Amino acid sequence: MNKIIISPSILSADFSNLERDIKRVEQAGADWIHVDVMDGHFVPNITIGAPVVKSIRKVTKMPFDVHLMIENPEKYIKDFVDAGSELITIHYEAVKNVKDIIDQIKIFGIKAGVSIKPKTPVNVLEDFISDLDLVLIMTVEPGFGGQKFMNDCLPKISEVKNLLEEYNLSKTVIEVDGGIDDKTCKLAVEAGANALVAGSYIYNSPDIKVAVKSLK
Ligand code: DX5
Ligand code: ZN
């Protein structure tokens, strides 16, 4: 079986102890750090921007998996690249010209992903699927950590898997974000996910190491 990438979301970390909380998941064997960027427009919440990414770049070599839940992401791609992102994911629903922005990200030599919200159908990805390094399927409405996994999004994971097979895209990562814990992770992986984002499950657990290991 292929390796499953674990990408803890620092949205649920202690923002006054980000270095400690990043190192904790690193030592626990996590693979990426998931950074949730929210603008108060595309989603009803505001989080962090490129300056924070730049600061945490100094404390770890783990790849940064940056999830932009923002309008006009094209204005900020360079800032997030300069800050040290390895992968930038934009939202399909936030932009008109997905393909142009994907190209804009890839010109910098980093990976590009597109995310779809729970109500967005998988077939919207077809126009640019071959250009993506990653598809991010939201299993909660984006905006907040700690929400319940939406089981009715599971078929979408299999649909993305089938779509990638149809286009012979075996390297494209299928990432799932929202409500992932030690039970829902199984459902997501069985449906075809090979990368899992988890925020509250990891950071609210009494033992971060045990939590990361249980997902692995
Ligand atoms: C939600 C974010 C998620 C969030 C996940 O909009 O994109 O990455 O941090 O948090 P949990 O794992 O608590 O659902
Ligand atoms: Zn996220």
Side-chain angles (χ1 to χ4, degrees), residues 8-29:
S9 165
I10 54 166
L11 185 60
S12 294
D14 176 352
F15 279 10
S16 67
N17 279 300
L18 277 180
E19 178 173 6
R20 180 200 69 188
D21 280 1
I22 287 168
K23 287 190 168 151
R24 278 185 177 166
V25 293
E26 184 166 21
Q27 280 154 14

Side-chain angles (χ1 to χ4, degrees), residues 139-203:
T139 42
V140 298
E141 284 299 336
F144 300 92
Q147 303 181 78
K148 196 176 173 296
F149 184 86
M150 295 167 70
N151 276 301
D152 50 353
C153 292
L154 279 170
K156 288 172 68 181
I157 304 174
S158 317
E159 281 174 45
V160 171
K161 193 179 179 211
N162 293 340
L163 191 63
L164 292 173
E165 274 168 10
E166 197 182 308
Y167 283 79
N168 263 317
L169 299 165
S170 57
K171 291 198 186 107
T172 313
V173 176
I174 306 176
E175 186 175 50
V176 172
D177 184 5
I180 292 291
D181 60 23
D182 55 345
K183 292 174 190 73
T184 55
C185 70
K186 274 190 154 186
L187 305 174
V189 170
E190 275 162 15
N194 52 11
L196 301 170
V197 176
S200 54
Y201 173 67
I202 290 178
Y203 282 110

Side-chain angles (χ1 to χ4, degrees), residues 1-7 29-32 62-63 170-174 189 192-196 212 215-216:
M1 199 178 89
N2 286 337
K3 184 177 174 292
I4 307 295
I5 294 161
I6 305 297
S7 189
D31 303 282
W32 296 349
M62 293 175 92
S170 57
K171 291 198 186 107
T172 313
V173 176
I174 306 176
V189 170
N194 52 11
L196 301 170
V212 172
L215 294 178
K216 291 213 137 201

Side-chain angles (χ1 to χ4, degrees), residues 11 34 36 38 42-43 67-69 89-93 114-120 122 135-145 147-154 156-157 160 174-180 197:
L11 185 60
H34 187 81
D36 285 307
M38 307 188 189
F42 179 69
V43 288
H67 180 191
L68 297 183
M69 287 161 276
T89 297
I90 58 163
H91 261 272
Y92 170 81
E93 305 83 359
V114 166
S115 179
I116 51 172
K117 299 206 283 182
K119 290 191 190 81
T120 304
V122 167
V135 174
L136 174 55
I137 300 156
M138 292 305 300
T139 42
V140 298
E141 284 299 336
F144 300 92
Q147 303 181 78
K148 196 176 173 296
F149 184 86
M150 295 167 70
N151 276 301
D152 50 353
C153 292
L154 279 170
K156 288 172 68 181
I157 304 174
V160 171
I174 306 176
E175 186 175 50
V176 172
D177 184 5
I180 292 291
V197 176

